[in-house]
Amino acid sequence: MAPMTRSFCPGGVPTLEVAEYYVRRALGEVGLIISEGTVVNRPSSSNDPDIPRFYGEPSLCGWKEVITRVHSAGGIMAPQLWHMGVVAPKDSGWLTPAPFEGPSGLVAPGKIGGVAMTQQDIEATIGAFAQAAADAKSLGFDAIEIHGAHGYLIDQFFWHLTNQRNDGYGGSTLGERSRFAREIITAVRQSVGPDFVISLRVSQWKLQDYSARLATTPQAMEQWLLPLVDAGVDIFHCSQRRFWEPEFAGSDLNFAGWAKKLTGKTSITVGSVGLSGEFIAAFKGESSKPSSLDELLRRLDRGDFDLVAVGRALIADAGWSKKIREGRTSELVGFTKEALAKLV
Ligand SMILES: Cc1cc2nc3c(=O)[nH]c(=O)nc-3n(C[C@H](O)[C@H](O)[C@H](O)COP(=O)(O)O)c2cc1C
């Protein structure tokens, strides 16, 4: 199950309703549940009070209940640890206790929306990720995922248009701008030990620019990802909006295909699996019908990637995996925007 923000956690605390939502996916035979993004302990890591926190006693107690129930239902689960960086405030007008923070205070290229992080802010943020990872392990989670994608904090450091720093966290190469991510992963690895699985979600595209690309050649992708492997990444979760789109000219390999080929690490693909339309259009109201898995299976059988993340199909239908496994395709339900309004 792909990580998907649902905003059903008042005050950042996962409720029993949220726990049961994940339990239904475990009972539906999802192989690995990655939680909705859950924010680390920084004053402005989130723009929404209903997004779960991964710090503070009430939130961690809520997460303990989630993982205990998911395990009892036979599931395994990783929380997705998140810091949004500089984002737009929510329409509700809810305000964070401190300004949004990012590499250069930019919410989008050329547009200030917060403050540039000091060395102290950077160190505290690295510490917050390490603490959250340690807490995930001690609560009993099976792995963690770090959200390094989609134009949020870590990706704001990767991207030259939002990282304009001229200290050691900026630079003209992707390798230089990856230092923040490398330091987070190194600290997380130290806090969880050698055997706990760390997944890193990465994307070329950003919410600020769907056509943005961090790595335009396989060589650039290698220079980006290999140092992250050295820092401690076990799995690259390669976010695309449509899994069948080739990453570079001259090959039909997608992002997860290249990540696995270049690093030798486990990779996860994602993006419109089993659905006719993609997810940004879905936010604007487009419905998606169930679609064939043949092309996905061709790539999976070829060994391009190891795992497949499924998003909206699993929001709409907790039993999606079981139905697929049992060949009950006529019972698949598709996705409409209305499915976001409640936890089914
Ligand atoms: C409602 C919703 C919330 C999402 N929230 C997150 C999130 O918290 N973290 C993240 O990395 N991706 C998030 N995504 C992206 C999904 O993980 C996934 O990559 C995307 O939906 C494409 O998969 P799909 O086509 O199977 O839905 C979200 C997507 C949806 C539809």
Side-chain angles (χ1 to χ4, degrees), residues 13-14 54-64 139:
V13 179
F54 212 82
Y55 62 91
E57 176 94 22
S59 296
L60 293 181
C61 284
W63 282 118
K64 178 78 194 162
L139 289 175

Side-chain angles (χ1 to χ4, degrees), residues 38 54 73 83 91-93 131 133 149 192 206 218 225 244 252 269 289 296 304 319:
T38 170
F54 212 82
H83 184 317
D91 294 342
S92 69
Q131 182 61 51
V192 297
K206 316 199 169 308
L225 301 185
W244 57 86
D252 71 347
T269 197
K289 292 195 216 48
L296 180 82
D304 288 12

Side-chain angles (χ1 to χ4, degrees), residues 184-235:
I184 288 176
I185 292 153
T186 303
V188 164
R189 174 55 73 207
Q190 261 165 13
S191 78
V192 297
D195 297 328
F196 197 71
V197 173
I198 301 175
S199 167
L200 176 68
R201 200 167 219 221
V202 279
S203 66
Q204 300 262 35
W205 67 271
K206 316 199 169 308
L207 287 165
Q208 299 89 331
D209 178 359
Y210 300 136
S211 62
R213 290 173 67 70
L214 294 174
T216 52
T217 62
Q219 293 73 20
M221 186 171 277
E222 191 173 60
Q223 284 160 13
W224 175 31
L225 301 185
L226 277 183
L228 298 168
V229 171
D230 292 339
V233 169
D234 298 301
I235 301 179

Side-chain angles (χ1 to χ4, degrees), residues 56 75 77 83 87 110 113 117 135 137 148 169 174 257 259 266 276:
M77 184 167 186
H83 184 317
V87 284
M117 292 166 81
D135 289 338
K137 187 179 177 188
Y169 292 92
L174 183 51
T266 299
S276 59

Side-chain angles (χ1 to χ4, degrees), residues 1-133:
M1 181 175 183
M4 285 175 294
T5 294
R6 302 304 311 272
S7 297
F8 281 99
C9 296
V13 179
T15 60
L16 284 185
E17 198 196 0
V18 169
E20 286 304 313
Y21 158 79
Y22 287 118
V23 163
R24 286 192 289 279
R25 275 74 195 162
L27 293 171
E29 298 182 6
V30 168
L32 165 65
I33 299 168
I34 302 176
S35 80
E36 58 203 293
T38 170
V39 295
V40 300
N41 190 5
R42 288 289 293 162
S44 58
S45 55
S46 167
N47 70 353
D48 180 349
D50 294 335
I51 283 178
R53 298 176 177 177
F54 212 82
Y55 62 91
E57 176 94 22
S59 296
L60 293 181
C61 284
W63 282 118
K64 178 78 194 162
E65 198 61 41
V66 170
I67 189 59
T68 305
R69 288 175 182 235
V70 164
H71 279 163
S72 302
I76 65 168
M77 184 167 186
Q80 188 193 48
L81 305 178
W82 189 19
H83 184 317
M84 295 186 192
V86 185
V87 284
K90 279 288 277 186
D91 294 342
S92 69
W94 182 77
L95 288 177
T96 50
F100 293 118
E101 59 182 4
S104 305
L106 296 166
V107 64
K111 196 171 161 209
I112 293 287
V115 297
M117 292 166 81
T118 62
Q119 178 70 30
Q120 210 179 5
D121 295 330
I122 288 178
E123 283 166 19
T125 303
I126 292 169
F129 273 98
Q131 182 61 51

